[in-house]
Amino acid sequence: MNKAKFITFEGVDGAGKSTHLEWFANALRQRGIDLLVTREPGGTPLGERLREILLNHPMHAETETLLMFAARREHVEQVIRPALQRGTWVISDRFSDASFAYQGGGRGVALDKLEQLEQWVHGDLQPDLTLLFDIPIEVARQRLANNISLDRFEQEQGAFFEKVRQAYLARSQKTPARFAVIHAEKTRDEVQKILEKIVSSI
Ligand code: TYD
């Protein structure tokens, strides 16, 4: 039996990641794969409470970072690792790359602090594959403009998201074998064709 895979979806707000995640998960399930879909921040009862705070309550950038990783510790221990161990694939809507992009790139938290937290929280566990939905920030902002209520991150300015985007790309260049960078400004059908190829390959 093939080892259960851990796959993460990443990208700036408005890249269309959540829509594509749903399609991708269905495509895997149709091929008979036992699959769990989860998200960050969140994924556990405690993580979802932390999410509520993180998305709404103003705080220092390092507090934000620590809470993201605290939620992640719980998520890895309670959900991700047990699922993989019993042979269930896991797709997470965001994982540590989001902390490097948003807290590191966006908020300017030092890279070595993030690396220490990553090592501490899941030093021995990395995604097998990360789909990074990359999109020009103007396009992502236009897509978000239709949302009625925006959370604390989505309310940030374009310059913040430009830094987040660049940090995601830098992160993907550091371990390119783990990443599939997808040009998310393409139409939904075009992106799905790319995803179909990825599904077949894994
Ligand atoms: P998001 O996937 O955008 O949720 P939704 O689609 O429901 O809006 O995630 C919520 C926000 O959390 C997003 O703006 C990015 C932010 N985030 C971080 O800043 N750091 C992290 O480590 C994670 C996991 C998320």
Side-chain angles (χ1 to χ4, degrees):
M1 194 180 82
N2 283 337
K3 188 177 141 290
K5 288 196 193 309
F6 176 31
I7 301 168
T8 57
F9 276 55
E10 298 282 0
V12 297
D13 296 271
K17 151 185 81 60
S18 302
T19 311
H20 293 308
L21 190 156
E22 210 179 306
W23 187 90
F24 190 86
N26 282 335
L28 283 177
R29 287 198 178 106
Q30 277 165 15
R31 286 163 196 246
I33 290 183
D34 177 25
L35 180 73
L36 182 104
V37 174
T38 184
R39 69 170 180 181
E40 288 205 352
T44 65
L46 174 60
E48 291 295 326
R49 289 176 72 178
L50 290 172
R51 179 188 177 92
E52 187 57 36
I53 298 169
L54 278 159
L55 265 48
N56 300 301
H57 196 290
M59 64 186 80
H60 188 276
E62 291 190 348
T63 311
E64 187 178 281
T65 305
L66 290 165
L67 288 181
M68 289 289 179
F69 274 97
R72 184 162 300 131
R73 185 77 190 97
E74 201 66 13
H75 195 206
V76 166
E77 225 36 54
Q78 302 285 341
V79 176
I80 300 175
R81 215 188 286 280
L84 295 173
Q85 274 167 0
R86 63 174 185 265
T88 300
W89 290 36
V90 176
I91 298 185
S92 186
D93 189 343
R94 300 192 188 279
F95 194 59
S96 284
D97 296 316
S99 298
F100 281 83
Y102 282 80
Q103 282 66 53
R107 305 265 194 242
V109 172
L111 198 59
D112 66 316
K113 289 183 178 165
L114 293 166
E115 284 170 350
Q116 280 176 38
L117 285 168
E118 181 187 31
Q119 188 56 34
W120 185 17
V121 167
H122 60 95
D124 57 339
L125 176 78
Q126 282 293 342
D128 297 293
L129 172 67
T130 297
L131 273 57
L132 172 56
F133 292 82
D134 182 53
I135 192 165
I137 296 307
E138 320 79 75
V139 182
R141 303 299 290 157
Q142 275 162 21
R143 290 185 182 174
L144 279 185
N146 300 327
N147 287 13
I148 310 157
S149 70
L150 298 177
D151 66 40
R152 210 162 60 78
F153 294 98
E154 291 165 338
Q155 284 167 20
E156 289 288 343
Q157 301 302 309
F160 174 87
F161 286 104
E162 198 52 64
K163 288 187 273 184
V164 172
R165 182 187 186 197
Q166 293 311 323
Y168 263 133
L169 291 171
R171 183 99 171 134
S172 74
Q173 282 150 14
K174 227 172 165 183
T175 50
R178 172 163 72 84
F179 280 85
V181 180
I182 293 162
H183 299 292
E185 78 272 32
K186 293 184 176 170
T187 66
R188 189 176 296 195
D189 285 355
E190 285 172 322
V191 173
Q192 280 177 4
K193 278 195 191 117
I194 298 168
L195 296 183
E196 181 69 54
K197 283 197 186 128
I198 296 174
V199 168
S200 301
S201 75
I202 59 175

